[in-house]
Amino acid sequence: MNNDTGKTSHVEIVQNPDVVEFLKSCSFMREPTGDEVDEIINSFIPVGNFEDENLPENLITINSSSYEAHVRNDIPYTNIGYVKLVTTLLKNNELLELARDKFIDPFRVAKLMDEKETIPFVLPSSNVKYEDCDTTVESFRRALDNFFENTREKKQERNTSLKSTLHWLASYADSNDVDKIVLPKCPYDDCSGENIIVYDIEEAQFCPHCGKRIYATDRLRLYEEVDNFAPSNQGALGRFEKLMRHIYLAHLLRLIRLNNKETSLKVLNDLAIIINGPLAVMGTAAWVHGCLMKIINEINVALRSKGYNDLLIIGIINEGQTIWSYANLIQKHIPKQTILCVSDEFRDKYINCNRQASSTTFGAETYYGQDFIWKTQNDSIMIFDLPYFTKDKSSKNSFKTEKSDYTKYNNLSRTLCLLQDMRSDMDNSSITPLVVSKQYTAISMEPGSKVLDLLSKNLII
């Protein structure tokens, strides 16, 4: 019997007048034409000579990746989550010397990457329980808290742990002491407890209302994105992976100040931190972005008091972001050596297809950095973020206007100089430090993921 259903079933959809009318009502990102091109070009300003900028000698990159490994092929949807965070310390002069070579020597690259730290996080994902926990969600919560407790710069010193950094971060959000976190509500659905205190201690802690175990990392509320019965929790793993880049930024800043009490400002002045991705924290832990704004501003005030430059933090935006797609769409129209500090008006009109303006500002609850689009002298497009110039967004109207003012960003020229020096021939939209670090960060599909699958299968009882 010849079944032609698959060949003809689409006809009913294509010829349906409601479908045709719906599609005619839709709009999408399109290439600008005519006067619109002139308007866009006029939004970019030329950038001058910045070759003589004083750049920091030390560069730290922060990158991460995640993977969900299958425990059993014959029992579907039984998974373990792996998140890999890699930070690298690179020397500016060594990178410049490497960039001048026509061919990259892999042995020299490996030597440069000696100063790196790899932190693996292993978390229960789908249909997996940890220790004596009853559910996948509770297992995820406990494993996450254990990793924050045990990830320490110095194993014998609790104050160097990620958990202590989380308490320090939360103190900027909650105006509390650094030794305690306040959970707005109990993480258990059958408990109505609110404003529950979790102390910065290693011992187990319990909700005073329901008596069940609570954790400092519950403040991130990542467990809300974990489903006990879902075939995959890759979404929660991906959210955690990206969040860790920003928590680890805070961790580095805190440890630098903790370990260099007399010279921390000098250390910070000679340091650039480069993060893969925008300076933004999405999802249930979005509150972290406001804490980072306050911390960065606090450091900058101290640096300026000593005559130093502002702290140099750069977020590099690659594929996967709407602004990246749009910038590459209009690339051929933009003059070389021009830059755009993206305003809400520009974003709403061009990038977001005439979207109605927000009553607040773009990224009001998530971003701690400003988007820039730069057309380099080499005719490539780079999109990057710089931290906002203020400690908060309390003055909403003025902030919405001032955030797209180039003159507010003291590090703009230094950033362009560094990005120009570190531009990668392998990836025109990125820079050499990130391109180099990616090979150590990515959990590749072949063969890395197979190794993790085998490890999970062999070790889980």
Side-chain angles (χ1 to χ4, degrees), residues 150-195:
N150 296 320
T151 301
R152 305 177 184 180
E153 185 198 24
K154 301 174 183 176
K155 291 299 181 183
Q156 304 305 317
E157 298 181 20
R158 281 204 68 256
N159 67 338
T160 67
S161 70
L162 267 178
K163 186 183 284 187
S164 289
T165 292
L166 182 61
H167 277 266
W168 177 67
L169 262 174
S171 72
Y172 284 86
D174 303 330
S175 299
N176 288 320
D177 296 334
V178 294
D179 64 341
K180 62 184 179 182
I181 278 176
V182 178
L183 306 181
K185 64 183 183 69
C186 179
Y188 297 93
D189 292 336
D190 58 354
C191 179
S192 58
E194 297 180 345
N195 298 322

Side-chain angles (χ1 to χ4, degrees), residues 64-68 82-84 438-446 448-449 452:
S64 60
S65 65
S66 61
Y67 177 72
E68 198 173 44
Y82 292 90
V83 172
K84 183 180 179 183
K438 279 183 181 179
Q439 64 180 296
Y440 293 94
T441 308
I443 303 175
S444 60
M445 296 307 295
E446 299 288 346
S449 60
L452 295 180

Side-chain angles (χ1 to χ4, degrees), residues 200-436:
D200 187 12
I201 57 177
E202 194 168 358
E203 293 76 19
Q205 299 178 71
F206 302 88
C207 173
H209 304 278
C210 66
K212 296 178 183 178
R213 187 152 178 197
I214 53 175
Y215 306 94
T217 47
D218 286 337
R219 183 68 172 86
L220 300 171
R221 294 169 49 206
L222 287 168
Y223 63 87
E224 294 181 15
E225 302 191 37
V226 179
D227 190 327
N228 282 322
F229 308 106
S232 169
N233 278 304
Q234 181 61 56
L237 290 174
R239 182 79 75 189
F240 170 58
E241 173 217 327
K242 292 177 175 60
L243 168 63
M244 279 309 305
R245 300 174 190 176
H246 307 285
I247 288 183
Y248 210 76
L249 167 63
H251 191 53
L252 288 173
L253 296 177
R254 176 174 164 265
L255 290 180
I256 287 171
R257 297 168 82 179
L258 185 67
N259 296 335
N260 305 273
K261 295 187 183 298
E262 302 299 325
T263 60
S264 62
L265 292 178
K266 187 176 186 302
V267 173
L268 291 167
N269 181 61
D270 201 26
L271 176 66
I273 301 176
I274 302 167
I275 297 176
N276 184 22
L279 301 185
V281 183
M282 310 296 181
T284 55
W287 57 269
V288 170
H289 94 279
C291 303
L292 285 168
M293 280 186 68
K294 293 175 182 176
I295 291 166
I296 293 169
N297 181 262
E298 182 179 279
I299 291 173
N300 284 338
V301 169
L303 285 167
R304 292 170 199 156
S305 71
K306 299 294 185 181
Y308 290 136
N309 294 303
D310 283 4
L311 182 61
L312 186 53
I313 299 174
I314 308 170
I316 301 294
I317 300 174
N318 294 305
E319 288 184 80
Q321 300 288 328
T322 304
I323 190 172
W324 187 92
S325 301
Y326 182 79
N328 282 273
L329 180 69
I330 64 172
Q331 177 177 359
K332 65 183 180 182
H333 302 295
I334 306 172
K336 295 180 182 180
Q337 283 293 74
T338 60
I339 194 169
L340 173 68
C341 186
V342 182
S343 66
D344 282 6
E345 291 75 17
F346 186 95
R347 189 186 303 273
D348 292 337
K349 184 174 182 179
Y350 298 115
I351 301 176
N352 293 332
C353 308
N354 289 307
R355 189 188 71 173
Q356 184 176 355
S358 168
S359 60
T360 54
T361 185
F362 172 79
E365 303 297 328
T366 53
Y367 272 71
Y368 63 96
Q370 170 64 25
D371 288 339
F372 291 83
I373 302 175
W374 178 38
K375 180 72 170 288
T376 71
Q377 63 184 7
N378 303 99
D379 210 28
S380 60
I381 285 285
M382 293 197 74
I383 302 101
F384 63 90
D385 282 1
L386 292 180
Y388 290 133
F389 50 85
T390 181
K391 66 179 181 179
D392 57 42
K393 306 171 188 176
S394 55
S395 302
K396 293 181 180 179
N397 292 331
S398 60
F399 175 77
K400 185 174 183 178
T401 302
E402 292 176 356
K403 73 172 186 175
S404 56
D405 180 354
Y406 303 84
T407 64
K408 296 289 186 179
Y409 299 90
N410 298 333
N411 271 331
L412 182 56
S413 291
R414 297 176 75 218
T415 299
L416 295 180
C417 184
L418 186 147
L419 295 181
Q420 177 176 269
D421 287 347
M422 298 297 166
R423 189 182 62 85
S424 170
D425 290 328
M426 292 182 287
D427 183 352
N428 287 332
S429 64
S430 190
I431 56 177
T432 300
L434 276 185
V435 172
V436 171

